[in-house]
Amino acid sequence: MSGCKNCSGCDILHPPVDTKTEYVVALAGNANVGKSATFNQLTGVDQDIGNWPGKTVERAEALLQHRGRRIRVIDLPGIYSITALSTEEQVSREFIAHDRPDVVVNVLDASALERNLFFTLQLTELESPLVIALNQADLAAKKGIVLDAGKLSDLLGVPVIPTVAIQGKGIAELSDAIVSATSSRPRPKIIRYGKEVEDRIARIQALLPEGSGGYPPRWTAIKLLEGDPDTVWEVRQHSLDVAAAALESGRELEKIHGEPAATVMSAERYHAAEELAASVMEIRPPGDNEVSLTEKVDRIALHPVLGYLLLAATIGGLLVWTFVIGAWISGVLTEFLSGIAPVEPLITGTLPEIIFNGAWTGFVAALTLIVPYVIPFYLVLALIEDSGFLTRFSLMLDKGMHRMGLHGKAIIPLVLGFGCTVPACLSCRIIEAPKQKLIAAFLVTLIPCSARTIVILGVVAVFVNIWWALALYLLVFVLIVVLGRLAFRLLPGESVGMIMEMPDYHVPHLQGVLGQTWQRTRSLIGIVLPAYIIGSIVITGAYAAGLLEPINAALYPVTVILLGLPAVTGVVFIFGIIRKEMTILALAAILGTTVFSDVLTPIQIIVFGLVTLLYAPCISTILALAKDFGWKAALSITALETSLAIALGTLVFHLIGPFL
């Protein structure tokens, strides 16, 4: 017994340490079995599309990161055999046999199991580590086909995972099986054919020189028996006697069956596939199949038309709450609190009065954000999440999110952003890949939150018209798409696809929903409340002490020359860093009027609204970004958005201003 290389004086034989940093998995299967859908669900984003070296056949590959494993997924061409008669078959055969991926995932159509198992048997002959994805299980159920995946797994000797790839069902389980297979490398059992065939396979296999052809001996023997030209040529380079013996064995089979040996082997595989399918499959009349509540609801939630209508209705309901009900509650709450003490920047008075006013204004800003917007939003989100709908909505939007380098999970922070950017940024934690997480946080800071909405509706819509307000919104959404694509291309790092469990639907548990809502709200209060209070005190006190006056002069080239705004807006934008609607209060206090059309031209109001929409996030958002991504990322996003706001504001003023 030899000692352990890793231990001093150890006589124990340890298994070899796996030092690989990346694993390779090949997806193989017939055409139209959902292989591409499986590939997209496993990887989703950042796919590399090209041709195989020296071939015109398309090659798709992408990264799967799951449970700490980094896995390169290769989507092989859809084929029905590995006879190497076509370029696609040759590519698949060479990759599986010679490049030796760590795992081969064979995607089967569960509704046509017998036909698909013909190809599976050829993969077992290649003896590659194998995982079976039993796809389109829903279609099989509609046909009354009931499959025993566990029994099929026992018969083949490899994991068998039922999936509905197009709906994302079973993908999490398949990902787990792939990760496990990279370590265990499950070898399929040898499926025996008829005696006369097996006798000749064994005879040829015994004669083969070691390593002949670079393929497994049994597979090489079968191919020689079939008269496969490539295999015959390769074996002849090593031994003419073996090639001659294989030819003679093929002739013997032909005499017995009256068919060429290749036809006999195909018949043997079909017979074995038929027996395998029959042993794991039961056909029931359609009326005997019980349809679960989850399946019934999924017919709507995952429907290509009805699903999007349900999604639009849900998001629409959340936005109605944000823009209508939440805004009304915020107004009532602000009016009530204003009766206790004024809620507006105090720029004159004694120092204690200014400090109290700053603290009170910041407290009210936090309260009127959390109570009408954040708590109800988190409550509805928890209800949707706990019921099982949220994973379906993420899946429905997954394809659209890919265009911005994200996946379906990103819809959660993006929708949250309409209420408040801070919880939206914090919710980016659900996204696994650092690159996608940062892109999502960046785009979230551009979403018009409730505070920005107040500025657009309360200034642009009131003093210009509603169409200009809507135009600004449309511009922002276009920017989100364009900047998302640019960030995806320019930022370093890799993106991964969405792997999410597809839970059954159930009635939300009230205690769990309330607990989750409180946990999320509590973590937000810890950031928002001190940021608003301290920020408001500092900025209001600095202005009252005259410390912010130089800002107007310093920003004069930007605010007046580039943007065409009054010089006082330099300080106004500083107040907006506390919270965006503070720009309205500060502007009214400094200009001495709330009728902004008396002191600002229409183009100035439009530019003011545009800059407010885009420039630096509020202080709470900056702190949230710094907490999760570091100060470098937080300040970079702030600088980028401020520069973008100035550039677009300048273009709008100088290009559109002359026509208004």
Side-chain angles (χ1 to χ4, degrees), residues 606-626:
I606 292 168
V607 169
F608 178 81
L610 176 61
V611 173
T612 302
L613 266 178
L614 296 176
Y615 88 104
C618 69
I619 189 171
S620 297
T621 301
I622 295 172
L623 290 173
L625 288 171

Side-chain angles (χ1 to χ4, degrees), residues 113-428:
L113 184 61
E114 181 181 323
R115 174 169 53 103
N116 281 239
L117 282 173
F118 178 82
F119 178 69
T120 304
L121 292 175
Q122 294 179 74
L123 290 176
T124 64
E125 292 166 6
L126 278 172
E127 300 179 13
S128 296
L130 196 63
V131 172
I132 304 292
L134 201 57
N135 194 39
Q136 305 192 102
D138 57 334
L139 184 58
K142 287 181 181 178
K143 293 181 177 180
I145 300 173
V146 179
L147 298 175
D148 189 338
K151 187 174 182 181
L152 182 60
S153 176
D154 292 338
L155 292 172
L156 293 175
V158 296
V160 177
I161 312 297
T163 64
V164 183
I166 198 170
Q167 298 180 3
K169 294 182 177 180
I171 297 300
E173 293 82 358
L174 179 60
S175 302
D176 289 342
I178 291 172
V179 168
S180 297
T182 58
S183 299
S184 63
R185 300 180 66 80
R187 299 277 177 173
K189 292 180 179 178
I190 294 175
I191 306 299
R192 301 291 179 182
Y193 302 123
K195 185 178 184 304
E196 68 278 6
V197 171
E198 285 296 335
D199 288 345
R200 284 155 183 83
I201 292 173
R203 184 193 308 167
I204 298 169
Q205 190 172 337
L207 296 173
L208 284 173
E210 186 176 351
S212 179
Y215 296 104
R218 177 176 171 82
W219 191 89
T220 303
I222 290 173
K223 285 300 166 187
L224 286 172
L225 192 59
E226 291 178 325
D228 178 73
D230 290 344
T231 308
V232 171
W233 183 86
E234 289 178 1
V235 172
R236 276 179 176 168
Q237 308 308 305
H238 298 86
S239 174
L240 291 174
D241 293 340
V242 175
L247 179 62
E248 179 59 30
S249 295
R251 286 173 179 165
E252 292 174 3
L253 274 184
E254 187 172 346
K255 287 180 182 179
I256 295 172
H257 293 277
E259 298 283 355
T263 304
V264 173
M265 282 306 308
S266 292
E268 289 290 328
R269 290 193 188 98
Y270 275 120
H271 179 66
E274 181 183 11
E275 288 189 332
L276 281 171
S279 63
V280 300
M281 183 170 61
E282 180 184 351
I283 307 295
R284 297 177 182 174
D288 293 346
N289 295 314
E290 294 185 5
V291 180
S292 67
L293 174 63
T294 293
E295 292 172 324
K296 290 178 181 177
V297 178
D298 273 348
R299 290 174 183 174
I300 298 175
L302 297 176
H303 190 274
V305 176
L306 297 178
Y308 284 107
L309 291 177
L310 178 61
L311 174 62
T314 304
I315 294 178
L318 289 173
L319 295 183
V320 165
W321 179 275
T322 298
F323 293 137
V324 180
I325 303 175
W328 177 78
I329 294 175
S330 180
V332 171
L333 192 57
T334 300
E335 186 177 353
F336 170 74
L337 294 173
S338 297
I340 300 174
V343 184
E344 60 182 22
L346 185 64
I347 56 178
T348 59
T350 64
L351 182 61
E353 290 175 338
I354 291 173
I355 292 175
F356 172 79
N357 177 268
W360 177 250
T361 301
F363 173 77
V364 172
L367 201 62
T368 53
L369 167 68
I370 293 171
V371 173
Y373 296 114
V374 174
I375 292 177
F377 208 103
Y378 274 155
L379 184 62
V380 174
L381 182 64
L383 288 169
I384 296 173
E385 187 176 13
D386 198 44
S387 66
F389 274 105
L390 189 58
T391 51
R392 273 75 177 180
F393 291 158
S394 298
L395 179 65
M396 294 293 289
L397 290 169
D398 191 48
K399 187 175 181 180
M401 292 291 104
H402 288 175
R403 296 179 181 178
M404 294 188 289
L406 302 172
H407 54 55
K409 287 183 183 178
I411 189 58
I412 299 170
L414 289 177
V415 172
L416 270 175
F418 286 101
C420 177
T421 311
V422 180
C425 285
L426 296 177
S427 69
C428 290

Side-chain angles (χ1 to χ4, degrees), residues 449-511:
C449 65
S450 58
R452 288 166 171 163
T453 299
I454 291 172
V455 176
I456 298 303
L457 296 182
V459 177
V460 180
V462 171
F463 297 110
V464 183
N465 58 55
I466 188 62
W467 302 112
W468 271 108
L470 295 177
L472 293 182
Y473 267 107
L474 179 61
L475 175 61
V476 170
F477 292 133
V478 171
L479 282 174
I480 288 171
V481 175
V482 172
L483 292 175
R485 292 180 66 86
L486 285 174
F488 176 60
R489 293 180 181 276
L490 297 177
L491 282 176
E494 294 175 300
S495 300
V496 298
M498 179 179 69
I499 304 295
M500 294 184 75
E501 298 280 354
M502 294 292 283
D504 290 339
Y505 294 105
H506 63 272
V507 177
H509 188 256
L510 182 60
Q511 185 176 354

Side-chain angles (χ1 to χ4, degrees), residues 515-535:
Q516 191 174 48
T517 301
W518 167 242
Q519 289 298 326
R520 289 171 170 170
T521 304
R522 184 175 64 178
S523 65
L524 179 67
I525 291 173
I527 295 176
V528 170
L529 198 59
Y532 276 1
I533 293 175
I534 296 172

